[in-house]
């Protein structure tokens, strides 16, 4: 009988389809960004004045597009490339990429900028505005420029006080500076986030807008093949397997156009092949990987098709809140508030509280909502509601489509 050590050794020695799996991980930035060359060009044109006329203006660009369309990868690649080239031309530039979901407040993101610049900031006592001033003085002293990307800017807009967003965006109205050293790239999933801002803020950012469209199947095919060459052994992935993933996800073929999901499917297919001790990743492996990734969602999708309008509106409410706040669970009160707002927007009479509670209970029984009691806080216990499937653009689109369908049949 084999000992655990024997089993471990034999598994460790068994061959793998992967040459370098890390190349498939979500934070890996590939050397080339196929089908985003024009976006890098557009960004260069927008930021050209940092080289041609440094300090004269603070440049602002908004990038928007669905999840997995390469916004993060492209801004990071552009930023690093632009920094290298400007520095070679004798203009000191730093690129700073901030994820607003990770650095959740103006204060935290300001500290992060200081941190990346290796600028010591006293732990206590300074406001965000003061830290910004310290940063600016430091840049002045070194005759330096920074491009700050605020990734997932939607999150900051939806969770921070308007005056914080206002301060960031209208920086040069708030701090006086002869030379403008800070420029921004705002990355959002949804342009309506920016449109929801106060006009005075909006006008400051909406001049340069770059849209990242979801990828088509041929674009995804090229992107995937490029990764396959580096991540897998030569000829380990069959061409029709790659084609299948590209077709499933291509926007033109009804998919979400999401490169991350496509790469994840290939990675899982490779892991399945390894488990089966297969030296090839075949069509069956990608099909299995694809259905595993979609399984949970598809069961729920089926059930949702049968729901009546107000249950759908409640799902939409939780989905909206999850998108806006990136949190998972929301109090009954908050969900009801969002639900009432949606009802108002579409001219529907909202159901009463007891009825809403009943819908929530049923959605929970169907496995669409999870509910739990909050801990005992100052305001007492409340029911927290979350979606039981990971929130995706497809899910949200599907709910919206179902709601539209119900409204159409109701009024025709
Ligand atoms: N054109 C491309 N070429 C190669 N890889 C790409 C390309 N576009 C996206 N990817 C890869 O797909 C994954 C998702 O891309 P990225 O994180 O940049 O998307 P995103 O638009 O920022 O998504 P989110 O809105 O969810 O943050 C990453 O692994 C990235 O390297």
């Amino acid at each position: 009988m084999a000992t655990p050590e024997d089993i471990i050794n034999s598994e460790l020695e068994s061959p793998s389809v992967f040459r370098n799996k890390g190349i498939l991980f979500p934070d890996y930035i590939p050397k080339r960004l196929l089908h985003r060359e024009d976006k890098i060009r557009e960004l260069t044109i927008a930021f050209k004045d940092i080289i041609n006329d440094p300090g004269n203006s603070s440049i602002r660009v908004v990038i928007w597009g669905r999840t997995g369309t390469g916004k993060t990868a492209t801004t990071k690649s552009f930023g690093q490339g632009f920094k290298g080239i400007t520095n070679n031309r004798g203009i000191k530039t730093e690129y700073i990429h901030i994820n607003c979901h990770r650095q959740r407040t103006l204060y935290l993101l300001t500290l992060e900028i200081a941190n990346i610049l290796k600028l010591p900031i006293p732990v206590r006592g300074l406001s965000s505005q003061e830290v910004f001033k310290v940063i600016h003085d430091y840049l002045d002293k070194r005759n330096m420029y920074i491009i700050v990307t605020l990734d997932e800017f939607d999150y900051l807009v939806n969770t921070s006080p308007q005056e914080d967003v206002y301060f960031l965006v209208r920086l040069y109205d708030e701090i006086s500076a002869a030379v403008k050293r800070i420029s921004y790239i705002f990355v959002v999933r949804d342009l309506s986030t920016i449109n929801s801002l106060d006009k005075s803020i909006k006008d400051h950012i909406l001049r340069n807008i770059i849209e990242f469209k979801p990828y088509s199947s041929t674009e995804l095919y090229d992107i995937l093949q490029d990764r396959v060459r580096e991540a897998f052994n030569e000829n380990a992935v069959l061409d029709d397997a790659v084609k299948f993933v590209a077709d499933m996800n291509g926007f033109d073929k009804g998919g979400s156009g999401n490169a991350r999901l496509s790469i994840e499917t290939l990675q899982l297919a490779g892991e399945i092949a390894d488990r089966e001790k297969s030296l090839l990743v075949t069509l069956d492996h990608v099909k299995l990987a694809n259905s595993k990734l979609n399984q949970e969602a598809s069961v729920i999708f089926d059930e949702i098709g049968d729901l009546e309008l107000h249950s759908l509106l409640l799902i939409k409410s939780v989905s909206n809140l999850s998108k806006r706040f990136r949190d998972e669970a929301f109090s009954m009160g908050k969900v009801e508030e969002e639900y009432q707002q949606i009802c108002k927007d579409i001219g529907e009479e909202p159901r009463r509280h007891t009825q809403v509670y009943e819908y929530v209970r049923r959605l929970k029984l169907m496995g669409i909502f999870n509910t739990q009691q909050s801990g005992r806080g100052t305001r007492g216990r409340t029911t927290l509601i979350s979606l039981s499937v990971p929130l995706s653009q497809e899910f949200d689109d599907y709910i919206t489509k179902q709601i539209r369908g119900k409204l159409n049949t109701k009024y025709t």
Side-chain angles (χ1 to χ4, degrees):
M1 252 221 306
T3 65
E5 284 78 7
D6 292 338
I7 301 170
I8 293 167
N9 273 325
S10 103
E11 274 311 310
L12 288 177
E13 273 152 32
S14 72
S16 167
V17 292
F18 296 108
R19 183 206 314 251
N20 184 351
K21 205 179 187 178
I23 294 207
L24 299 168
F25 293 171
D27 46 3
Y28 173 79
I29 307 279
K31 285 183 219 77
R32 302 193 297 168
L33 285 165
L34 294 176
H35 303 292
R36 287 299 179 232
E37 295 86 349
D38 55 337
K39 303 297 165 198
I40 295 183
R41 223 164 273 137
E42 283 181 57
L43 281 165
T44 310
I45 293 169
F47 283 96
K48 223 173 177 173
D49 275 353
I50 292 193
I51 296 175
N52 292 344
D53 194 5
N56 195 25
S57 61
S58 161
I59 299 155
R60 283 93 205 282
V61 174
V62 174
I63 285 184
W64 74 282
R66 286 173 174 228
T67 188
T69 52
K71 301 182 297 296
T72 303
T74 307
T75 44
K76 280 189 174 166
S77 298
F78 163 76
Q80 291 308 335
F82 192 80
K83 166 187 161 175
I85 290 170
T86 40
N87 284 331
N88 283 341
R89 290 173 176 232
I91 296 161
K92 266 193 261 168
T93 310
E94 187 56 76
Y95 174 75
I96 297 179
H97 195 100
I98 305 267
N99 183 300
C100 297
H101 189 238
R102 233 166 278 146
Q103 318 299 334
R104 287 167 171 255
T105 61
L106 174 63
Y107 188 67
L108 286 177
L109 80 83
T110 315
L111 282 191
E112 179 69 4
I113 297 175
N115 206 6
I116 293 170
L117 290 171
K118 302 196 175 60
L119 176 62
I121 296 287
V123 182
R124 242 176 267 214
L126 292 187
S127 66
S128 313
Q129 286 77 355
E130 286 163 333
V131 178
F132 246 100
K133 185 84 184 70
V134 173
I135 292 172
H136 215 278
D137 290 346
Y138 175 86
L139 298 174
D140 267 339
K141 217 182 294 158
R142 294 181 185 236
N143 191 16
M144 214 178 142
Y145 300 88
I146 55 174
I147 298 176
V148 180
T149 290
L150 296 173
D151 204 345
E152 303 206 41
F153 185 60
D154 324 50
Y155 186 83
L156 193 89
V157 171
N158 288 319
T159 54
S160 288
Q162 177 125 331
E163 57 272 21
D164 284 1
V165 180
Y166 193 92
F167 170 78
L168 260 179
V169 175
R170 305 199 52 175
L171 184 65
Y172 287 105
D173 293 345
E174 307 279 321
I175 60 172
S176 59
V179 180
K180 300 195 170 80
R181 299 196 176 271
I182 303 178
S183 293
Y184 294 110
I185 301 176
F186 303 98
V187 177
V188 292
R189 293 218 179 107
D190 193 350
L191 204 57
S192 65
T193 310
I194 307 273
N195 282 322
S196 70
L197 290 170
D198 197 86
K199 190 171 179 309
S200 59
I201 302 185
K202 220 161 53 180
D203 291 351
H204 267 70
I205 21 189
L206 279 181
R207 282 180 212 140
N208 280 317
I209 304 174
I210 304 180
E211 182 186 355
F212 279 47
K213 291 220 163 72
Y215 291 114
S216 69
S217 56
T218 50
E219 289 173 334
L220 285 176
Y221 178 81
D222 295 340
I223 291 168
L224 289 172
Q225 282 294 13
D226 212 37
R227 286 288 167 107
V228 163
R229 268 190 289 278
E230 287 189 68
F232 288 87
N233 291 327
E234 209 176 332
N235 299 325
V237 187
L238 297 182
D239 189 59
D240 57 356
V242 179
K243 187 136 196 342
F244 177 85
V245 180
D247 284 349
M248 282 304 293
N249 293 294
F251 195 61
D252 53 328
K253 306 246 160 116
S256 58
N258 180 338
R260 180 183 303 112
L261 184 61
S262 310
I263 295 169
E264 212 174 284
T265 311
L266 265 194
Q267 183 188 335
L268 184 58
E271 286 162 1
I272 296 171
D274 273 2
R275 235 172 286 149
E276 289 181 3
K277 311 252 181 294
S278 163
L279 293 177
L280 292 177
V281 180
T282 64
L283 188 56
D284 283 345
H285 294 136
V286 286
K287 280 190 179 165
L288 191 55
N290 186 60
S291 69
K292 278 207 164 152
L293 289 172
N294 288 317
Q295 204 170 37
E296 259 181 297
S298 68
V299 172
I300 301 248
F301 274 41
D302 280 352
E303 290 184 339
I304 284 172
D306 300 329
L307 291 172
E308 50 73 61
L309 180 63
H310 283 262
S311 295
L312 290 169
L313 294 175
L314 273 167
I315 300 176
K316 180 74 185 158
S317 311
V318 179
S319 166
N320 282 358
L321 290 168
S322 311
K323 267 205 303 193
R324 203 174 309 143
F325 298 105
R326 296 286 309 272
D327 279 338
E328 294 202 332
F330 301 93
S331 68
M332 184 72 198
K334 199 142 195 169
V335 172
E336 231 177 319
E337 209 176 278
E338 179 71 19
Y339 159 77
Q340 282 164 358
Q341 184 57 46
I342 298 180
C343 286
K344 198 167 150 207
D345 293 345
I346 61 171
E348 268 289 313
E349 181 69 28
R351 300 286 191 254
R352 286 164 184 278
H353 177 73
T354 41
Q355 176 81 58
V356 169
Y357 210 88
E358 181 53 26
Y359 284 136
V360 170
R361 202 182 63 82
R362 262 190 268 154
L363 288 168
K364 182 195 161 141
L365 288 177
M366 290 173 72
I368 296 172
F369 280 172
N370 289 323
T371 63
Q372 66 187 87
Q373 290 298 311
S374 71
R376 208 178 287 274
T378 42
R379 295 201 198 139
R381 288 168 89 87
T382 168
T383 304
L384 293 176
I385 303 167
S386 56
L387 286 171
S388 63
V389 274
L391 179 66
S392 64
Q393 187 71 41
E394 298 87 62
F395 182 74
D396 197 56
D397 289 349
Y398 185 72
I399 299 289
T400 309
K401 201 168 130 208
Q402 294 297 320
I403 292 174
R404 271 204 205 111
K406 295 277 155 43
L407 287 172
N408 284 342
T409 45
K410 191 171 167 186
Y411 294 115
T412 50

